[in-house]
Amino acid sequence: MPQTPPFAAMFDSSGYNRNLYQSKEDNCGGLYYHDNNLLSGSLEALIQHLVPNVDYYPDSRIRKIAPKILQLLTEWTETFPYDFRDERMMRNLKELAQRIANGDEMYRKNVQQIIQSLIRKLASLSQYEEVLAKINATSTDRLTVLKIKPQSIQRDIITVCNDPYMLAQQLTHIELERLNYIGPEEFVQAFVQKDPLDNDKSCYADQKKTRNLEAYVEWFNRLSYLVATEICMPVKKKHRARMIEYFIDVARECFNIGNFNSLMAIISGMNMSPVSRLKKTWAKVKTAKFDILEHQMDPSSNFNNYRTALRGAAQRSLTAHSNREKIVIPFFSLLIKDIYFLNEGCANRLPNGHVNFEKFWELAKQVSEFMTWKQVECPFERDRKILQYLLTAPVFSEDALYMASYESEGPENHIEKDRWKTLRSTLLGRV
């Protein structure tokens, strides 16, 4: 997975913390400001700052502060609805709402709207997760299906959708839908213990809190394996070459749309060893367009080329007049890594014990930008047949990919020959 070591260095004591100690004029009761922005403060001072007092609320009656509480609850339930999947949180919300609603019809209606909107969001989330569970439950190994019911998967992606531009649009549908169900709190939960993209998934002890983030990472892996499977499946060399060129065109359109996650998944699938070793197949492919795409997504210099393209897409999105121009789907694995290393590279507390607000401002900036991107509505027409294939078509495992690759273009050395024999024995014997 991509690494982003410069992030830790970007926010060291010579950078982030150099302006944290201000003059006494900027020190207000243990809170430190710079240019009217809160930089740091002790936890006690921050809590005290938020506690109502005679200056904050001269009249302490609930009717006076009810509008502020309603505003807080509205923003909380809209921005962090997944917090209220916890029964205790929902119970506390309803108790507080009941206190606000007592004695005022207008407040009662506002409270009802907040809770009803929250319940709809949580119900939609549950339905989405049920669909994901069904998809995962029906997923099968392509090799097993091929041996048991060979006629059932004679189709390939080109027979389902021969237009690469249409496929890129359907991929964008999937990307935006899955992005939309990732809550900002999932980033926080994912980093409580460790990087969620590591193979050890102990950080997902509470699956409900991060399952949508994890499902999105799994989608990237599935798309990569689907691409590799579609390329390795054809018996004839010219058909494999045609499939490679088809996915190059899909990837180019993903780039033009601003769908960088699908783009990188496709490139990742085409660069898998079982695919890249098919030298006779690649010899028949016009690779100039693919070379350009690889250059754009080159991981060197901390993905500098990709970051430049992402900034361009983000700028286009800001001035867009249509949803088509607003689409920005980042390479998600790298976004996760950036946030992770920013979180790990900066201390939560300053040496004096104050909360490091600059760190959290930067984290909030990155997550907020992501929140803006994920809310874009997909402008393309849905094609259920294509979407169904992309989400449910059986794919090869890594071992099955290697065996298909050796069947297409024979082993080149003793190591590959030995592996081929082992795979034929274990995989075919198992089936």
Side-chain angles (χ1 to χ4, degrees), residues 55-116:
D55 296 319
Y56 260 167
Y57 302 113
D59 188 339
S60 60
R61 290 175 299 173
I62 191 69
R63 288 171 58 85
K64 280 288 187 180
I65 64 173
K68 295 292 184 182
I69 297 177
L70 283 173
Q71 181 183 0
L72 172 63
L73 293 180
T74 300
E75 294 183 5
W76 189 353
T77 55
E78 288 180 353
T79 308
F80 302 100
Y82 298 1
D83 283 350
F84 298 92
R85 301 186 83 180
D86 187 303
E87 293 181 3
R88 294 168 301 174
M89 290 291 292
M90 182 62 84
R91 185 167 58 250
N92 290 336
L93 172 64
K94 290 181 178 179
E95 289 176 357
L96 178 58
Q98 184 64 36
R99 292 183 62 188
I100 297 173
N102 282 339
D104 193 301
E105 181 65 17
M106 182 183 70
Y107 291 157
R108 187 178 67 80
K109 290 181 178 179
N110 289 340
V111 165
Q112 287 179 343
Q113 290 175 353
I114 291 173
I115 294 179
Q116 288 172 1

Side-chain angles (χ1 to χ4, degrees), residues 12 140 226 355 376:
D12 62 11
T140 53
L226 178 63
V355 176
V376 174

Side-chain angles (χ1 to χ4, degrees), residues 18-209:
R18 64 177 178 272
N19 294 321
L20 294 180
Y21 298 99
Q22 305 297 322
S23 63
K24 289 184 178 179
E25 288 76 19
D26 293 326
N27 180 2
C28 301
L31 301 179
Y32 287 82
Y33 294 83
H34 178 63
D35 293 336
N36 293 322
N37 291 321
L38 180 62
L39 293 183
S40 71
S42 67
L43 188 58
E44 293 75 15
L46 290 169
I47 293 174
Q48 189 61 40
H49 182 61
L50 297 174
V51 173
N53 54 45
V54 68
D55 296 319
Y56 260 167
Y57 302 113
D59 188 339
S60 60
R61 290 175 299 173
I62 191 69
R63 288 171 58 85
K64 280 288 187 180
I65 64 173
K68 295 292 184 182
I69 297 177
L70 283 173
Q71 181 183 0
L72 172 63
L73 293 180
T74 300
E75 294 183 5
W76 189 353
T77 55
E78 288 180 353
T79 308
F80 302 100
Y82 298 1
D83 283 350
F84 298 92
R85 301 186 83 180
D86 187 303
E87 293 181 3
R88 294 168 301 174
M89 290 291 292
M90 182 62 84
R91 185 167 58 250
N92 290 336
L93 172 64
K94 290 181 178 179
E95 289 176 357
L96 178 58
Q98 184 64 36
R99 292 183 62 188
I100 297 173
N102 282 339
D104 193 301
E105 181 65 17
M106 182 183 70
Y107 291 157
R108 187 178 67 80
K109 290 181 178 179
N110 289 340
V111 165
Q112 287 179 343
Q113 290 175 353
I114 291 173
I115 294 179
Q116 288 172 1
S117 176
L118 175 61
I119 290 174
R120 284 195 298 270
K121 287 181 180 179
L122 296 181
S124 176
L125 174 64
S126 296
Q127 291 173 359
Y128 165 74
E129 291 177 347
E130 288 175 7
V131 170
L132 286 185
K134 289 179 181 178
I135 291 174
N136 292 335
T138 57
S139 63
T140 53
D141 177 71
R142 193 176 185 99
L143 181 63
T144 303
V145 178
L146 186 64
K147 295 302 178 182
I148 297 174
K149 298 179 180 179
Q151 297 303 317
S152 65
I153 54 172
Q154 287 301 308
R155 296 183 307 165
D156 60 22
I157 190 66
I158 295 179
T159 63
V160 175
C161 176
N162 62 5
D163 182 356
Y165 301 100
M166 172 65 78
L167 189 73
Q169 293 173 2
Q170 299 310 304
L171 287 171
T172 303
H173 263 296
I174 295 173
E175 297 282 354
L176 286 174
E177 180 180 59
R178 298 207 171 196
L179 278 182
N180 186 53
Y181 282 99
I182 298 175
E185 56 273 79
E186 294 194 49
F187 290 98
V188 178
Q189 294 294 335
F191 300 140
V192 167
Q193 294 183 4
K194 63 195 295 295
D195 182 355
L197 297 181
D198 283 353
N199 292 329
D200 180 5
K201 296 185 178 179
S202 60
C203 59
Y204 291 109
D206 187 343
Q207 293 287 336
K208 180 178 287 189
K209 292 183 178 179

